[in-house]
């Protein structure tokens, strides 16, 4: 492998790892804030216990999310310095805004939340958790705005004098229609993840408690968790489908070759079907060998345009089109196997999670509780499904953009003017040797793996302990013992 | 004033904020064995920074993000050029973040001791390497006409840079022990106060030698003598007040020293952001100057205007709520204020 491939692997590994943790933090921070709000408003102890229980799991997750996030910001400069030179004038802005507007907010108020139970009044402490949750979700907006610009550069023009893409209008960058759909898609996904997490752990405990003693006092608490989590999943699931559909339609216009690859659509077709199973050399060397064994007629055309009879361009035609507009020597076909399967599995995992949520709501309808072990097992296993779906979604988005690191904006193309785009191979650092990228990739992967083991053990351990007993927090004096300490 | 110059100054301010705030965080981490000493003492130390360390570290992310946004060429050359030192810093920051948060999640002596060791090592590494990095920036490194660093790893390990590493190390140790003396009561306070006397003197000695070397050998401007004097007075003040037991003033003096030192470094660089030791015509520049050759590192005017608005609106807000967080946790901690360990163990409870 050369430095380019190693740098790509490194980005893939560190980003997927980071983004396994992030959606849980995004969704759970808001949902824990909701739990604490319910406690402050109703005074019911079960809400305080749920806040502390899921809050602790949130903190374990957050710590590793923050730690792995630091690498993300510096990796552009370290491994992708030529990319950074090309896009910095425009791409650096949302990154700096993310730090200044979102990261400060989330980390400062998280510290106040963790250590502030005995320092702040109930209402101020509640405000603090909301500011933390808002900061966390704001950070998602800025980083998605940055990513969406790589998918669909707007508000920019190439400056031949400086040889880079330069900002023309920040509002176009922040209001990119790609961002406006990607952000709600990511946030609804985050709620699917967090809802599944709350419901899955709640179901484990609900079934365990009701099998041991169906009058256990903790049962209402866990039933609440299951129903809250499942309801969030259903609402979020609908949002995921809705935003995903709109995103797909937009992407057929903005990055047609990515979507053609996702569908394994080699030749331009009218009334193109949605393939459920394809064989052949999907890895991309031989598109002619791709055969679709099962497909739903007209669905791809419908997904692309809303009309099942529409014509959708295939990879071969798009390759010719791209070669005339952009670099004539490049191959513009993304990896077919990765895009085709990640797209399908993303949808499959999300659907699976939503089905479990429906089962959970059904089993706990009208005040019922369940003692079915199949359900608790299913619910626990389902915790992983939206995580996988989210990761596959990002793998699809990023791999489908290849060979570009900044995909060209087709609607901004004017013949005779240099368009803003960059091939991934031109973005890699020149100062860094293959050995250096290889070394950092191996060490990052190792240390992430080790820390991941601790993360998993702590998550499982705290989930297995169940909701803690709590005492009403009181604001203490300056010489009182700390209510919480490391 | 040219906006690029304004952003050059603002990035200096962001780095100052980072070095001041995470400086004492690192100091506290490094001092765990000698000032913390006992299990309870170590816990006291960790809890002095517990609520604030994460917010402190965001100053680094903001400084990095601001360099990317305002000086993409600087960001690109620096981060790809200083590859391995930055990699080690990142490894340390990752480990440290997780160690601080995870060490108290399991009630087990061995578990805690291992994470403590991780905190200590991962506080030492960046304390030295940030100094090495800044010293190399100001000294100049091999950069070609495309802005690409061509020096390799060992080029970064020159005597001036290594002494720079000792300077940040010395200042952070002094800063950390003064912070501890300020934030704790009882035995921990006494040990912090005793070490503050030694480290503050050490910081004056290494700091003075390095600053003079910098000014004489590498500064582009004579006015930075002024910054040097401010930095020196700050360090001397920190030592003086440590010896007289006035740790609030000692802390402020160290802040003044960091402000002076960053002003010295940035002032010495100007109008470069990163000089090239290969050929002065390849210097990375803050902005274009008539008659000066080099590669302009700054962003376009449009971008700088946007970022100026953003920084102008949000920086005061951030400062206000971070100050409030310090106010909320202003009380001094002591060993007898720690609650008993009531965390879980890996063995299942009944």
């Amino acid at each position: 492998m050369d430095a380019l491939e190693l740098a790509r692997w490194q980005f893939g590994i560190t980003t997927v790892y980071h983004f396994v943790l992030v959606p849980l933090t995004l969704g759970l921070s808001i949902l824990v804030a909701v739990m604490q709000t319910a406690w402050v408003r109703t005074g019911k102890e079960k809400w305080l216990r749920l806040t502390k229980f899921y809050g602790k799991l949130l903190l374990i997750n957050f710590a590793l999310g923050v730690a792995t996030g630091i690498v993300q910001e510096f990796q552009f400069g370290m491994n992708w310095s030529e990319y950074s030179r090309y896009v910095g004038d425009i791409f650096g802005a949302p990154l700096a805004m993310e730090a200044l507007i979102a990261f400060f907010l989330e980390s400062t108020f998280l510290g106040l939340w963790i250590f502030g139970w005995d320092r702040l009044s109930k209402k101020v402490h509640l405000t603090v958790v909301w500011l933390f949750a808002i900061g966390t979700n704001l950070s998602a907006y800025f980083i998605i705005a940055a990513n969406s610009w790589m998918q669909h550069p707007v508000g920019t023009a190439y400056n031949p004098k400086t040889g880079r893409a330069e900002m023309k209008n920040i509002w176009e960058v922040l209001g990119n229609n790609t961002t406006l759909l990607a952000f709600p898609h990511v946030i609804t996904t985050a709620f699917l993840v967090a809802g599944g997490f709350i419901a899955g752990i709640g179901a484990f405990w609900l079934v365990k408690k009701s099998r041991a003693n169906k009058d256990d006092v903790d049962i209402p608490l866990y039933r609440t968790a299951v129903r809250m989590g499942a309801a969030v999943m259903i609402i979020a699931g609908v949002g995921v489908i809705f935003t995903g559909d709109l995103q797909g339609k937009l992407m057929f216009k903005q990055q047609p070759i990515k979507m053609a690859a996702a569908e394994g659509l080699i030749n331009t077709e009218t009334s193109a079907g949605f393939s459920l199973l394809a064989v052949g050399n999907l890895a991309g060397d031989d598109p002619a060998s791709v055969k679709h064994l099962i497909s739903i007629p007209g669905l791809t055309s419908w997904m692309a345009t809303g009309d099942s009879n529409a014509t959708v361009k295939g990879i071969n035609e798009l390759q010719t089109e791209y070669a005339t507009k952009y670099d004539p020597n490049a191959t513009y076909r993304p990896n077919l196997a990765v895009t085709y399967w990640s797209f399908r599995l993303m949808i499959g995992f999300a659907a699976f999670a939503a089905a479990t949520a429906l089962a959970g709501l059904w089993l706990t309808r009208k005040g019922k509780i369940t003692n079915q072990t199949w359900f608790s097992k299913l619910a626990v296993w389902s915790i992983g499904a939206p995580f996988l779906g989210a990761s596959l979604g990002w793998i699809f988005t990023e791999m489908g953009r290849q060979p570009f690191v900044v995909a060209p904006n087709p609607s901004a193309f004017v013949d005779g003017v240099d368009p803003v785009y960059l091939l991934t191979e031109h973005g890699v650092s020149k100062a860094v040797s293959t050995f250096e990228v290889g070394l950092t990739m191996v060490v990052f992967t190792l240390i992430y793996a080790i820390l991941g083991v601790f993360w998993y053990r702590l998550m499982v351990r705290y989930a297995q302990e169940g909701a803690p007993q709590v005492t009403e927090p009181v604001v203490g004096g300056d010489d009182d013992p700390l209510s919480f300490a490391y | 004033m040219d906006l690029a110059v304004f952003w050059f100054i603002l990035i200096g301010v962001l780095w100052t904020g980072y070095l001041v705030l995470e400086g004492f965080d690192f100091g506290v981490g490094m001092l765990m064995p000698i000032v913390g000493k006992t299990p309870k003492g170590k816990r006291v130390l960790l809890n002095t920074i517990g609520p604030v360390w994460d917010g402190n570290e965001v100053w680094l992310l903001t400084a990095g993000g601001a360099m990317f946004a305002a000086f993409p060429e600087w960001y690109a050359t620096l981060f790809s050029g200083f590859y391995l030192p930055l990699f080690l810093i990142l490894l340390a920051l990752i480990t440290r973040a997780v160690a601080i948060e995870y060490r108290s999640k399991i009630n087990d002596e061995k578990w805690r001791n291992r994470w403590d060791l991780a905190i200590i090592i991962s506080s030492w590494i960046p304390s030295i390497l940030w100094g090495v990095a800044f010293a190399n920036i100001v000294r100049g490194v091999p950069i070609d006409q495309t802005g690409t660093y061509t020096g390799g790893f060992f080029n970064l390990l020159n005597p001036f840079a290594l002494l720079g590493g000792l300077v940040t190390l010395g200042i952070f140790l002094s800063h950390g022990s003064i912070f501890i003396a300020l934030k704790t009561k009882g035995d921990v306070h006494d040990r912090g106060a005793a070490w503050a006397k030694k480290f503050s003197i050490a910081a004056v000695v290494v700091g003075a030698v390095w600053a003079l070397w910098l000014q004489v050998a590498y500064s582009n401007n004579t006015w930075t003598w002024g910054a040097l004097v401010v930095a020196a007075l700050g360090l001397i003040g920190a030592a003086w007040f440590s010896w007289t037991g006035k740790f609030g003033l000692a802390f402020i003096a160290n802040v003044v020293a960091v402000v002076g030192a960053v002003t010295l470094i940035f002032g010495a660089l100007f109008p470069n952001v990163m000089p090239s030791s290969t050929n002065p015509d390849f210097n990375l520049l803050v902005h274009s100057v008539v008659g000066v050759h080099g590669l302009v590192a700054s962003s376009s005017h449009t971008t700088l205007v946007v970022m100026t608005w953003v920084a102008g609106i949000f920086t005061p807000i951030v400062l206000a709520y971070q100050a409030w967080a310090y106010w909320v946790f202003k009380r001094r901690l002591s060993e007898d204020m720690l609650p008993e360990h009531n965390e879980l163990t890996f063995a299942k409870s009944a």
Side-chain angles (χ1 to χ4, degrees), chain B residues 108-341:
Chain B
D108 179 89
E109 203 61 44
K110 220 187 213 173
W111 169 274
R112 278 193 292 268
N113 288 343
R114 286 183 183 166
W115 287 117
D116 284 350
L117 185 65
I119 294 172
I120 295 162
I121 296 173
S122 57
S123 300
W124 278 86
I125 291 173
S127 297
I128 298 168
L129 290 180
W130 282 127
V132 173
F134 275 107
N136 275 306
I137 293 175
V138 80
R139 178 177 180 264
V141 288
I143 296 173
D144 71 13
Q145 66 274 27
T146 65
T148 302
Y149 175 77
T150 54
F153 175 61
F154 291 100
N155 220 301
L156 301 172
L157 303 181
N158 51 76
F160 179 70
L162 293 175
L163 187 63
L166 290 183
V167 172
T168 42
L169 177 68
I171 292 178
F172 291 174
L173 283 168
S174 150
H175 198 39
S177 48
I178 289 168
F179 175 79
I180 293 165
L182 194 58
K183 280 290 293 176
T184 60
K185 302 186 278 196
D187 293 349
V188 181
H189 164 89
D190 297 344
R191 284 196 292 270
W195 281 104
K197 290 182 181 174
K198 295 174 191 165
F199 288 133
S200 56
I201 296 283
V204 174
V205 176
V206 283
V209 175
W210 186 76
L212 284 171
W213 189 346
L214 189 166
Q215 179 61 38
V216 172
Y218 304 116
S219 182
N220 288 334
N221 300 291
T222 25
W223 66 261
T224 47
W225 277 108
L228 189 154
V229 170
V230 172
L233 286 177
L235 290 177
I236 292 165
W240 175 264
F241 291 121
S242 293
W243 280 85
T244 51
K246 295 184 179 120
F247 294 104
L249 290 172
F251 187 85
I252 293 170
N254 256 340
V255 174
V256 171
V258 174
V259 172
V262 174
T263 311
L264 171 63
I265 293 169
F266 278 63
L269 282 169
F270 191 82
N272 302 322
V273 288
M274 247 182 123
S276 166
S277 61
T278 311
N279 183 336
D281 285 353
F282 305 158
N283 289 350
L284 298 187
L285 304 171
V286 173
H287 57 170
S288 58
V289 182
V290 182
V292 178
H293 288 279
L295 180 62
V296 176
S298 59
S299 280
S300 65
H301 185 69
T302 312
T303 302
L304 293 177
V305 169
V306 168
M307 292 314 297
T308 303
W309 278 101
V310 172
I313 294 168
F314 288 98
T315 314
I317 298 175
V318 169
L319 287 172
Y321 64 65
Q322 278 212 330
W324 179 64
Y326 277 92
W327 176 255
V328 169
F329 300 110
K330 66 181 183 301
R331 64 177 175 155
R332 290 167 182 256
L333 304 182
S334 64
E335 293 183 12
D336 49 16
M337 286 158 72
L338 294 171
E340 287 304 311
H341 278 298

Side-chain angles (χ1 to χ4, degrees), chain A residues 344-405:
Chain A
R344 269 149 196 75
L345 288 170
M346 167 186 77
I347 296 170
F349 279 116
F352 176 72
T356 313
L358 283 174
L361 283 181
W362 176 254
L363 289 170
T364 55
R365 72 190 182 279
K366 293 181 193 158
K368 287 188 187 194
I369 55 169
T370 178
N371 62 1
Q372 299 294 316
T373 36
W374 68 265
F375 172 65
S376 74
K377 277 188 184 147
L378 176 69
V380 170
W381 280 106
S382 302
I383 292 173
F387 280 98
L388 285 168
S391 297
L392 287 160
W394 275 112
I395 291 171
F396 166 65
T397 306
E398 299 297 286
M399 288 294 288
R401 196 191 53 226
Q402 304 302 325
F404 297 108
V405 63

Side-chain angles (χ1 to χ4, degrees), chain A residues 25-212:
Chain A
T25 299
L26 293 176
L28 202 54
S29 61
I30 301 267
L31 293 174
V32 166
V34 168
M35 289 170 184
Q36 192 169 334
T37 309
W39 170 64
V40 171
R41 296 194 72 148
T42 67
K44 284 187 186 157
E45 194 191 45
K46 77 168 179 187
W47 287 114
L48 180 59
R49 293 182 63 197
L50 285 171
T51 305
K52 295 253 180 172
F53 181 40
Y54 288 107
K56 183 73 90 176
L57 295 167
L58 170 64
L59 295 181
I60 296 167
N61 190 63
F62 186 84
L64 194 53
V66 165
T68 54
I70 304 169
V71 177
Q72 296 307 101
E73 179 163 331
F74 294 108
Q75 195 168 179
F76 297 111
M78 289 172 72
N79 287 340
W80 301 96
S81 64
E82 300 315 296
Y83 164 80
S84 301
R85 290 180 212 278
Y86 183 77
V87 302
D89 193 74
I90 188 157
F91 183 86
L95 251 61
M97 290 181 199
E98 184 186 26
L100 186 62
I101 300 171
F103 287 161
F104 270 126
L105 197 63
E106 72 171 341
S107 52
T108 308
F109 285 98
L110 179 67
L112 281 157
W113 186 60
I114 303 174
F115 287 85
W117 288 94
D118 66 341
R119 300 280 99 198
L120 302 167
S121 74
K122 255 189 197 182
K123 281 197 176 146
V124 174
H125 192 250
L126 181 65
T127 313
V128 157
V129 72
W130 275 106
L131 288 170
F132 155 63
I134 290 167
T136 302
N137 282 270
L138 261 180
S139 76
Y141 187 84
F142 289 111
I143 197 63
I144 288 168
N147 178 270
S148 295
W149 188 85
M150 298 163 74
Q151 312 287 347
H152 184 64
V154 289
T156 184
Y158 179 76
N159 181 348
K161 245 200 257 165
T162 52
R164 67 185 182 188
E166 290 186 353
M167 189 192 289
K168 292 294 152 206
N169 186 333
I170 184 65
W171 300 112
E172 284 181 32
V173 176
L174 294 177
N176 191 346
N177 56 7
T178 319
T179 314
L180 297 182
L181 287 175
F183 177 66
H185 192 60
V186 168
I187 294 299
T188 47
T189 302
F191 278 101
L192 191 66
V193 168
F197 183 83
I198 291 176
I201 294 170
F204 167 81
W205 275 103
L206 177 64
V207 170
K208 186 173 167 170
K209 289 273 182 187
S210 54
R211 287 184 85 82

